[in-house]
Coordinates of all heavy atoms in Angstrom, one line a residue:
M1 N 0.8 -1.2 0.0 CA 0.0 0.0 0.0 C 0.8 1.3 0.0 O 0.5 2.3 -0.7 CB -0.9 -0.1 1.2 CG -1.9 1.1 1.4 SD -3.1 0.9 0.1 CE -4.2 2.1 0.6
S2 N 1.9 1.2 0.7 CA 2.8 2.5 0.8 C 3.5 2.7 -0.5 O 3.8 3.8 -0.9 CB 3.8 2.3 1.9 OG 4.7 1.2 1.7
N3 N 3.9 1.6 -1.3 CA 4.5 1.8 -2.6 C 3.4 2.4 -3.6 O 3.8 3.3 -4.5 CB 4.9 0.4 -3.1 CG 6.2 -0.1 -2.5 OD1 6.9 0.7 -2.0 ND2 6.4 -1.4 -2.6
L4 N 2.2 2.1 -3.5 CA 1.2 2.6 -4.3 C 1.1 4.1 -4.1 O 1.0 4.9 -5.0 CB -0.2 1.9 -4.2 CG -1.3 2.4 -5.0 CD1 -1.0 2.1 -6.5 CD2 -2.6 1.6 -4.6
S5 N 1.0 4.4 -2.9 CA 0.9 5.9 -2.5 C 2.1 6.7 -2.9 O 2.0 7.9 -3.3 CB 0.5 6.1 -1.1 OG 1.5 5.6 -0.2
L6 N 3.2 6.1 -2.8 CA 4.5 6.7 -3.2 C 4.5 6.9 -4.6 O 5.0 8.0 -5.1 CB 5.7 5.8 -2.7 CG 6.7 6.5 -1.7 CD1 7.3 5.6 -0.9 CD2 7.6 7.4 -2.4
N7 N 4.1 5.9 -5.4 CA 4.1 6.1 -6.9 C 3.1 7.1 -7.4 O 3.3 7.9 -8.2 CB 3.7 4.7 -7.6 CG 4.9 3.8 -7.5 OD1 6.0 4.1 -7.4 ND2 4.6 2.4 -7.6
L8 N 1.9 7.1 -6.7 CA 0.9 8.2 -7.0 C 1.4 9.5 -6.7 O 1.2 10.5 -7.5 CB -0.4 7.8 -6.3 CG -1.2 6.7 -6.8 CD1 -2.4 6.4 -5.9 CD2 -1.7 6.9 -8.2
S9 N 2.0 9.7 -5.6 CA 2.5 11.0 -5.2 C 3.7 11.5 -6.2 O 3.8 12.7 -6.5 CB 2.9 11.2 -3.8 OG 4.1 10.3 -3.6
S10 N 4.5 10.6 -6.6 CA 5.7 11.0 -7.4 C 5.1 11.3 -8.9 O 5.6 12.2 -9.5 CB 6.7 9.9 -7.5 OG 6.2 8.7 -8.1
N11 N 4.1 10.5 -9.3 CA 3.5 10.8 -10.6 C 2.7 12.1 -10.6 O 2.8 12.9 -11.6 CB 2.5 9.6 -11.0 CG 3.2 8.4 -11.5 OD1 4.4 8.5 -11.8 ND2 2.5 7.3 -11.4
L12 N 2.1 12.4 -9.5 CA 1.3 13.7 -9.4 C 2.3 14.8 -9.3 O 2.0 15.8 -10.0 CB 0.5 13.6 -8.1 CG -0.4 14.8 -7.8 CD1 -1.4 15.0 -8.9 CD2 -1.1 14.7 -6.4
S13 N 3.4 14.7 -8.6 CA 4.3 15.8 -8.6 C 5.0 16.0 -9.9 O 5.2 17.2 -10.3 CB 5.3 15.6 -7.4 OG 6.1 14.5 -7.7
S14 N 5.3 15.0 -10.7 CA 6.0 15.1 -11.9 C 5.0 15.8 -12.9 O 5.3 16.6 -13.8 CB 6.5 13.8 -12.4 OG 5.5 12.9 -12.7
N15 N 3.7 15.3 -12.9 CA 2.6 15.9 -13.8 C 2.4 17.4 -13.4 O 2.3 18.2 -14.3 CB 1.4 15.2 -13.7 CG 1.4 13.8 -14.4 OD1 2.3 13.6 -15.2 ND2 0.5 12.9 -14.1
L16 N 2.4 17.7 -12.1 CA 2.3 19.0 -11.8 C 3.4 20.0 -12.2 O 3.2 21.1 -12.7 CB 2.0 19.1 -10.2 CG 1.7 20.4 -9.6 CD1 0.5 21.0 -10.2 CD2 1.6 20.4 -8.1
S17 N 4.6 19.4 -12.1 CA 5.7 20.3 -12.4 C 5.7 20.5 -14.0 O 6.2 21.5 -14.5 CB 7.0 19.7 -12.0 OG 7.2 18.4 -12.5
S18 N 5.4 19.5 -14.8 CA 5.4 19.6 -16.2 C 4.3 20.5 -16.6 O 4.5 21.3 -17.6 CB 5.3 18.3 -16.8 OG 4.0 17.7 -16.6
N19 N 3.1 20.6 -15.9 CA 2.0 21.5 -16.3 C 2.4 22.8 -16.0 O 2.0 23.8 -16.6 CB 0.8 21.1 -15.6 CG 0.2 19.9 -16.2 OD1 0.5 19.5 -17.3 ND2 -0.8 19.2 -15.5
L20 N 3.1 23.1 -14.9 CA 3.5 24.4 -14.4 C 4.5 25.1 -15.4 O 4.6 26.3 -15.5 CB 4.1 24.4 -13.0 CG 3.1 24.2 -11.9 CD1 3.8 24.1 -10.6 CD2 2.0 25.4 -11.9
S21 N 5.3 24.2 -16.0 CA 6.3 24.8 -16.9 C 5.6 25.3 -18.2 O 6.3 26.1 -18.9 CB 7.4 23.7 -17.3 OG 6.8 22.7 -18.0
T22 N 4.4 24.9 -18.5 CA 3.8 25.4 -19.8 C 3.0 26.7 -19.6 O 2.6 27.2 -20.5 CB 2.8 24.3 -20.3 OG1 1.8 24.0 -19.4 CG2 3.6 23.1 -20.7
V23 N 2.8 27.1 -18.3 CA 2.1 28.3 -18.0 C 3.0 29.5 -18.4 O 4.2 29.6 -18.1 CB 1.7 28.4 -16.6 CG1 1.0 29.7 -16.2 CG2 0.7 27.2 -16.2
A24 N 2.4 30.5 -19.0 CA 3.1 31.7 -19.3 C 3.5 32.4 -18.1 O 2.9 32.3 -17.1 CB 2.2 32.6 -20.2
P25 N 4.5 33.3 -18.2 CA 5.0 34.0 -17.0 C 4.0 35.0 -16.4 O 4.0 35.4 -15.3 CB 6.2 34.9 -17.6 CG 6.6 34.3 -18.9 CD 5.4 33.5 -19.4
T26 N 2.9 35.4 -17.2 CA 1.9 36.2 -16.7 C 0.8 35.5 -15.8 O -0.1 36.1 -15.2 CB 1.1 37.0 -17.8 OG1 0.6 36.0 -18.7 CG2 2.1 37.9 -18.6
G27 N 0.9 34.2 -15.8 CA 0.0 33.4 -15.2 C -1.1 32.9 -16.0 O -2.0 32.1 -15.5
H28 N -1.2 33.2 -17.2 CA -2.2 32.7 -18.2 C -1.7 31.5 -19.0 O -0.6 31.6 -19.4 CB -2.6 33.8 -19.2 CG -3.2 35.1 -18.5 ND1 -4.5 35.0 -17.9 CD2 -2.8 36.3 -18.3 CE1 -4.8 36.2 -17.4 NE2 -3.8 37.0 -17.7
A29 N -2.5 30.5 -19.0 CA -2.1 29.3 -19.7 C -2.3 29.5 -21.2 O -1.7 28.8 -22.0 CB -2.9 28.1 -19.2
S30 N -3.2 30.3 -21.6 CA -3.5 30.5 -23.0 C -2.9 31.8 -23.5 O -2.4 32.6 -22.8 CB -5.0 30.5 -23.3 OG -5.5 31.7 -22.7
H31 N -2.8 31.9 -24.9 CA -2.2 33.1 -25.5 C -3.3 34.0 -26.1 O -3.3 34.4 -27.3 CB -1.3 32.7 -26.6 CG -0.1 31.9 -26.0 ND1 0.9 32.5 -25.4 CD2 0.1 30.6 -26.0 CE1 1.8 31.6 -25.0 NE2 1.3 30.3 -25.4
E32 N -4.3 34.3 -25.2 CA -5.4 35.2 -25.7 C -4.9 36.7 -25.8 O -4.1 37.1 -25.0 CB -6.6 35.1 -24.8 CG -7.2 33.8 -24.7 CD -8.3 33.8 -23.8 OE1 -8.8 34.9 -23.3 OE2 -8.8 32.7 -23.4
V33 N -5.5 37.4 -26.7 CA -5.1 38.8 -26.9 C -6.3 39.5 -26.2 O -7.5 39.4 -26.6 CB -5.0 39.3 -28.4 CG1 -4.8 40.7 -28.5 CG2 -3.8 38.5 -29.0
H34 N -6.0 40.4 -25.3 CA -7.0 41.1 -24.5 C -7.1 42.5 -25.2 O -6.1 43.2 -25.3 CB -6.6 41.3 -23.1 CG -6.6 39.9 -22.4 ND1 -7.7 39.2 -22.0 CD2 -5.5 39.2 -22.0 CE1 -7.3 38.1 -21.5 NE2 -6.1 38.1 -21.4
D35 N -8.3 42.9 -25.5 CA -8.6 44.2 -26.1 C -8.7 45.2 -25.0 O -9.6 45.1 -24.1 CB -9.8 44.1 -26.9 CG -10.0 45.4 -27.7 OD1 -9.0 46.2 -27.9 OD2 -11.1 45.6 -28.3
S36 N -7.8 46.2 -24.9 CA -7.9 47.1 -23.7 C -8.2 48.5 -24.2 O -7.8 49.5 -23.5 CB -6.5 47.1 -23.1 OG -5.5 47.6 -24.0
H37 N -9.0 48.7 -25.2 CA -9.5 50.0 -25.6 C -10.6 50.4 -24.8 O -11.6 49.7 -24.5 CB -10.0 50.0 -27.1 CG -8.9 49.6 -28.1 ND1 -7.9 50.4 -28.3 CD2 -8.7 48.6 -28.9 CE1 -7.1 49.9 -29.2 NE2 -7.6 48.8 -29.6
P38 N -10.5 51.7 -24.3 CA -11.5 52.3 -23.4 C -12.8 52.8 -24.1 O -13.6 53.4 -23.5 CB -10.7 53.3 -22.6 CG -9.9 53.8 -23.6 CD -9.4 52.6 -24.4
Y39 N -12.8 52.7 -25.4 CA -13.8 53.3 -26.2 C -15.3 52.9 -25.9 O -16.2 53.8 -25.8 CB -13.6 53.2 -27.7 CG -12.2 53.7 -28.1 CD1 -11.4 53.0 -28.7 CD2 -11.9 55.1 -27.8 CE1 -10.1 53.5 -29.2 CE2 -10.7 55.6 -28.1 CZ -9.8 54.8 -28.8 OH -8.6 55.3 -29.1
P40 N -15.6 51.6 -25.6 CA -17.0 51.3 -25.3 C -17.4 51.9 -23.9 O -18.5 52.4 -23.8 CB -16.9 49.8 -25.1 CG -15.8 49.3 -26.0 CD -14.8 50.5 -25.9
I41 N -16.5 51.9 -22.9 CA -16.8 52.5 -21.6 C -17.1 54.1 -21.8 O -17.9 54.6 -21.2 CB -15.8 52.2 -20.6 CG1 -15.7 50.7 -20.4 CG2 -16.0 52.9 -19.3 CD1 -16.9 50.0 -19.8
L42 N -16.1 54.6 -22.5 CA -16.2 56.1 -22.8 C -17.5 56.5 -23.6 O -18.1 57.5 -23.2 CB -15.0 56.6 -23.6 CG -13.7 56.7 -22.7 CD1 -12.6 57.1 -23.6 CD2 -13.8 57.6 -21.6
F43 N -17.9 55.7 -24.5 CA -19.1 55.9 -25.2 C -20.3 55.8 -24.3 O -21.1 56.8 -24.3 CB -19.3 54.9 -26.4 CG -20.6 54.9 -27.1 CD1 -20.9 56.0 -28.0 CD2 -21.6 54.1 -26.8 CE1 -22.1 56.1 -28.6 CE2 -22.8 54.1 -27.4 CZ -23.1 55.1 -28.3
I44 N -20.4 54.8 -23.4 CA -21.5 54.8 -22.5 C -21.5 55.9 -21.6 O -22.6 56.6 -21.3 CB -21.5 53.4 -21.8 CG1 -21.7 52.3 -22.8 CG2 -22.5 53.4 -20.6 CD1 -21.5 50.8 -22.2
F45 N -20.4 56.2 -21.0 CA -20.3 57.3 -20.0 C -20.6 58.7 -20.7 O -21.5 59.5 -20.2 CB -18.9 57.5 -19.4 CG -18.8 58.5 -18.5 CD1 -19.3 58.5 -17.1 CD2 -18.0 59.7 -18.8 CE1 -19.1 59.6 -16.3 CE2 -17.9 60.8 -17.9 CZ -18.4 60.6 -16.6
T46 N -20.2 58.9 -21.8 CA -20.5 60.2 -22.6 C -21.8 60.3 -23.0 O -22.5 61.4 -22.8 CB -19.5 60.3 -23.8 OG1 -18.1 60.2 -23.4 CG2 -19.7 61.6 -24.5
S47 N -22.4 59.2 -23.4 CA -23.8 59.2 -23.9 C -24.8 59.5 -22.7 O -25.7 60.3 -22.8 CB -24.3 57.8 -24.4 OG -23.5 57.6 -25.6
C48 N -24.5 58.9 -21.5 CA -25.3 59.2 -20.3 C -25.2 60.6 -19.8 O -26.1 61.2 -19.5 CB -25.0 58.2 -19.2 SG -25.5 56.5 -19.5
T49 N -23.9 61.1 -19.9 CA -23.7 62.5 -19.5 C -24.4 63.5 -20.4 O -25.0 64.4 -20.0 CB -22.2 62.8 -19.5 OG1 -21.6 61.8 -18.6 CG2 -21.8 64.2 -19.0
I50 N -24.3 63.2 -21.7 CA -25.0 64.1 -22.6 C -26.5 64.1 -22.5 O -27.2 65.1 -22.4 CB -24.6 63.8 -24.1 CG1 -23.1 64.2 -24.4 CG2 -25.5 64.5 -25.1 CD1 -22.6 63.8 -25.7
G51 N -27.0 62.9 -22.2 CA -28.5 62.7 -22.0 C -28.9 63.4 -20.7 O -30.0 64.1 -20.8
A52 N -28.1 63.4 -19.7 CA -28.5 64.0 -18.5 C -28.4 65.5 -18.7 O -29.3 66.3 -18.1 CB -27.5 63.6 -17.3
I53 N -27.5 66.0 -19.3 CA -27.4 67.5 -19.6 C -28.5 68.0 -20.4 O -29.1 69.0 -20.1 CB -26.0 67.9 -20.2 CG1 -24.8 67.6 -19.2 CG2 -25.9 69.3 -20.8 CD1 -23.4 67.7 -19.8
I54 N -28.9 67.3 -21.5 CA -30.0 67.7 -22.3 C -31.2 67.7 -21.5 O -32.1 68.5 -21.7 CB -30.0 66.7 -23.6 CG1 -28.8 66.8 -24.4 CG2 -31.4 66.9 -24.4 CD1 -28.6 68.2 -25.1
R55 N -31.4 66.7 -20.6 CA -32.6 66.5 -19.9 C -32.8 67.7 -19.0 O -33.8 68.3 -18.8 CB -32.7 65.2 -19.1 CG -33.9 65.1 -18.4 CD -34.3 63.6 -18.2 NE -35.5 63.4 -17.6 CZ -36.5 62.7 -18.0 NH1 -36.3 62.1 -19.2 NH2 -37.5 62.6 -17.3
Q56 N -31.7 68.1 -18.3 CA -31.7 69.3 -17.4 C -31.9 70.6 -18.2 O -32.7 71.5 -17.7 CB -30.4 69.4 -16.6 CG -30.2 68.4 -15.6 CD -31.3 68.4 -14.5 OE1 -31.7 69.5 -14.1 NE2 -31.8 67.3 -14.1
L57 N -31.4 70.7 -19.3 CA -31.6 71.9 -20.2 C -33.0 72.0 -20.7 O -33.5 73.1 -21.0 CB -30.6 72.0 -21.3 CG -29.1 72.2 -20.8 CD1 -28.2 72.1 -22.1 CD2 -28.9 73.5 -20.1
M58 N -33.7 70.9 -20.9 CA -35.0 70.8 -21.5 C -36.1 71.0 -20.6 O -37.3 70.9 -21.1 CB -35.2 69.5 -22.3 CG -34.4 69.5 -23.6 SD -34.9 68.1 -24.5 CE -36.7 68.2 -24.5
K59 N -36.0 71.2 -19.3 CA -37.1 71.4 -18.4 C -38.0 72.5 -18.8 O -37.5 73.6 -19.0 CB -36.6 71.5 -17.0 CG -35.9 70.3 -16.4 CD -35.7 70.4 -15.0 CE -35.2 69.1 -14.4 NZ -35.0 69.1 -13.0
G60 N -39.2 72.1 -19.0 CA -40.2 73.1 -19.5 C -40.4 73.3 -20.9 O -41.2 74.2 -21.4
W61 N -39.6 72.6 -21.8 CA -39.8 72.7 -23.2 C -41.0 71.8 -23.6 O -41.2 70.8 -23.1 CB -38.6 72.1 -23.9 CG -37.4 73.1 -23.9 CD1 -37.1 74.0 -23.0 CD2 -36.3 73.0 -24.8 NE1 -35.9 74.7 -23.4 CE2 -35.4 74.1 -24.4 CE3 -35.9 72.2 -25.9 CZ2 -34.2 74.3 -25.1 CZ3 -34.8 72.4 -26.5 CH2 -33.9 73.5 -26.2
P62 N -41.6 72.2 -24.7 CA -42.8 71.4 -25.1 C -42.4 70.3 -26.0 O -43.2 69.5 -26.3 CB -43.7 72.5 -25.9 CG -42.6 73.5 -26.4 CD -41.6 73.6 -25.3
I63 N -41.1 70.2 -26.4 CA -40.7 69.2 -27.3 C -40.3 67.9 -26.5 O -39.6 68.0 -25.4 CB -39.4 69.6 -28.1 CG1 -39.7 70.8 -28.9 CG2 -38.9 68.4 -29.0 CD1 -38.5 71.5 -29.6
P64 N -40.7 66.7 -26.9 CA -40.4 65.5 -26.1 C -38.9 65.2 -26.0 O -38.1 65.5 -27.0 CB -41.1 64.3 -26.8 CG -42.2 65.0 -27.6 CD -41.7 66.4 -27.9
Y65 N -38.4 64.7 -25.0 CA -37.0 64.5 -24.7 C -36.5 63.4 -25.7 O -35.3 63.6 -26.2 CB -36.9 63.9 -23.2 CG -35.6 63.3 -22.9 CD1 -34.5 64.1 -22.7 CD2 -35.4 62.0 -22.6 CE1 -33.3 63.7 -22.3 CE2 -34.1 61.5 -22.3 CZ -33.1 62.4 -22.1 OH -31.8 61.9 -21.7
T66 N -37.3 62.4 -26.1 CA -36.7 61.4 -27.0 C -36.5 62.0 -28.4 O -35.6 61.6 -29.2 CB -37.6 60.2 -27.1 OG1 -39.0 60.7 -27.3 CG2 -37.6 59.4 -25.8
V67 N -37.4 62.9 -28.8 CA -37.3 63.5 -30.1 C -36.0 64.4 -30.2 O -35.2 64.3 -31.1 CB -38.5 64.5 -30.4 CG1 -38.3 65.3 -31.7 CG2 -39.7 63.6 -30.4
V68 N -35.6 65.1 -29.1 CA -34.4 65.9 -29.1 C -33.2 64.9 -29.2 O -32.2 65.2 -29.8 CB -34.3 66.7 -27.8 CG1 -33.0 67.4 -27.7 CG2 -35.5 67.8 -27.9
L69 N -33.2 63.8 -28.4 CA -32.1 62.8 -28.4 C -31.9 62.2 -29.8 O -30.8 62.0 -30.3 CB -32.3 61.7 -27.4 CG -32.2 62.1 -26.0 CD1 -32.3 60.9 -25.1 CD2 -30.8 62.8 -25.7
I70 N -33.0 61.9 -30.5 CA -32.9 61.4 -31.8 C -32.4 62.4 -32.8 O -31.4 62.1 -33.7 CB -34.3 61.0 -32.3 CG1 -34.7 59.7 -31.7 CG2 -34.3 60.6 -33.9 CD1 -36.2 59.2 -31.9
L71 N -32.8 63.7 -32.8 CA -32.2 64.7 -33.6 C -30.7 65.0 -33.3 O -29.9 65.1 -34.2 CB -33.0 66.0 -33.4 CG -34.4 66.0 -33.9 CD1 -35.1 67.3 -33.6 CD2 -34.5 65.7 -35.4
L72 N -30.3 64.9 -32.0 CA -28.9 65.0 -31.6 C -28.1 63.9 -32.1 O -27.0 64.1 -32.7 CB -28.8 65.1 -30.1 CG -27.5 65.5 -29.5 CD1 -27.1 66.9 -30.0 CD2 -27.5 65.4 -27.9
G73 N -28.6 62.7 -32.1 CA -28.0 61.5 -32.6 C -27.8 61.6 -34.1 O -26.7 61.2 -34.7
L74 N -28.8 62.0 -34.7 CA -28.6 62.3 -36.3 C -27.6 63.3 -36.6 O -26.7 63.2 -37.5 CB -30.0 62.7 -36.8 CG -31.1 61.7 -36.9 CD1 -32.5 62.3 -37.3 CD2 -30.7 60.6 -37.9
C75 N -27.5 64.4 -35.7 CA -26.5 65.4 -36.0 C -25.1 64.8 -35.8 O -24.2 65.0 -36.6 CB -26.7 66.6 -35.1 SG -28.1 67.6 -35.5
F76 N -24.9 64.0 -34.7 CA -23.6 63.5 -34.4 C -23.3 62.4 -35.5 O -22.1 62.3 -35.9 CB -23.6 62.7 -33.1 CG -23.4 63.7 -31.9 CD1 -24.0 63.3 -30.7 CD2 -22.8 64.9 -32.0 CE1 -23.9 64.1 -29.6 CE2 -22.7 65.7 -30.9 CZ -23.2 65.4 -29.7
G77 N -24.2 61.7 -36.1 CA -24.0 60.8 -37.1 C -23.5 61.5 -38.4 O -22.6 60.9 -39.0
A78 N -24.2 62.5 -38.7 CA -23.8 63.3 -39.9 C -22.4 63.9 -39.8 O -21.7 63.8 -40.7 CB -24.8 64.5 -40.1
I79 N -22.1 64.4 -38.6 CA -20.7 64.9 -38.3 C -19.7 63.8 -38.4 O -18.7 63.9 -39.1 CB -20.6 65.6 -37.0 CG1 -21.5 66.9 -37.0 CG2 -19.2 65.9 -36.6 CD1 -21.6 67.5 -35.6
A80 N -20.0 62.6 -37.9 CA -19.0 61.5 -37.9 C -18.9 60.9 -39.4 O -17.8 60.5 -39.7 CB -19.5 60.3 -37.0
G81 N -20.0 61.0 -40.2 CA -19.9 60.6 -41.6 C -19.1 61.6 -42.4 O -18.5 61.2 -43.4
A82 N -19.1 62.9 -42.0 CA -18.4 63.9 -42.9 C -17.0 64.0 -42.5 O -16.2 64.5 -43.3 CB -19.1 65.3 -42.7
V83 N -16.6 63.6 -41.3 CA -15.1 63.8 -40.9 C -14.5 62.4 -41.0 O -14.8 61.5 -40.2 CB -15.1 64.3 -39.4 CG1 -13.7 64.5 -39.0 CG2 -15.9 65.6 -39.3
P84 N -13.5 62.3 -41.9 CA -12.8 60.9 -42.1 C -12.0 60.5 -40.9 O -11.9 59.3 -40.7 CB -11.9 61.2 -43.3 CG -12.3 62.5 -43.9 CD -13.0 63.3 -42.9
E85 N -11.5 61.4 -40.1 CA -10.7 61.0 -38.9 C -11.6 60.2 -37.9 O -11.0 59.5 -37.1 CB -10.1 62.2 -38.2 CG -9.0 62.9 -39.1 CD -9.5 63.8 -40.1 OE1 -10.6 64.3 -39.9 OE2 -8.8 64.1 -41.1
L86 N -12.8 60.5 -37.9 CA -13.7 59.8 -36.9 C -14.2 58.5 -37.4 O -14.9 57.7 -36.6 CB -15.0 60.7 -36.6 CG -14.7 62.0 -35.9 CD1 -16.1 62.8 -35.9 CD2 -14.1 61.9 -34.6
Q87 N -13.9 58.1 -38.6 CA -14.3 56.8 -39.1 C -13.3 55.7 -39.0 O -13.4 54.7 -39.6 CB -14.7 56.9 -40.6 CG -15.9 57.9 -40.8 CD -16.1 58.1 -42.3 OE1 -15.5 57.5 -43.1 NE2 -17.0 59.0 -42.7
K88 N -12.4 55.8 -38.1 CA -11.4 54.8 -37.8 C -11.9 53.6 -37.1 O -12.7 53.6 -36.3 CB -10.2 55.4 -37.1 CG -9.4 56.3 -37.9 CD -8.3 56.9 -37.1 CE -7.5 57.9 -38.0 NZ -6.4 58.6 -37.3

């Protein structure tokens, strides 16, 4: 029984050491490329901020809030389509 446990522990330690040698220095076993662009977060934050500012400025206006946001989105889309640097 002791030989069996000794063989199992030596096999386990050799397998563990061989698996550890294949792990990258960063601790990741795979070679995935992580996209670290902040643009999606900035878009959400900027959109919410612009919406809040528009809502505060529109208090008492007879035009619905959603209509103003749609018109503002159309204007931003037209500007983005006309400026080639924004189409990257």
Side-chain angles (χ1 to χ4, degrees):
M1 182 76 173
S2 64
N3 284 340
L4 179 63
S5 63
L6 241 151
N7 286 337
L8 286 176
S9 68
S10 66
N11 285 341
L12 182 62
S13 65
S14 66
N15 286 341
L16 184 60
S17 64
S18 68
N19 286 342
L20 287 177
S21 64
T22 60
V23 176
T26 60
H28 296 289
S30 64
H31 297 284
E32 295 179 17
V33 176
H34 298 283
D35 191 15
S36 62
H37 294 295
Y39 301 124
I41 300 296
L42 288 175
F43 173 76
I44 293 169
F45 179 75
T46 305
S47 299
C48 290
T49 303
I50 290 172
I53 290 170
I54 295 296
R55 185 152 182 126
Q56 289 298 319
L57 292 176
M58 282 189 53
K59 287 189 175 183
W61 284 21
I63 302 171
Y65 173 68
T66 53
V67 172
V68 173
L69 288 183
I70 289 172
L71 293 175
L72 189 64
L74 288 172
C75 290
F76 283 151
I79 291 169
V83 179
E85 290 84 19
L86 296 176
Q87 298 177 4
K88 291 181 182 179

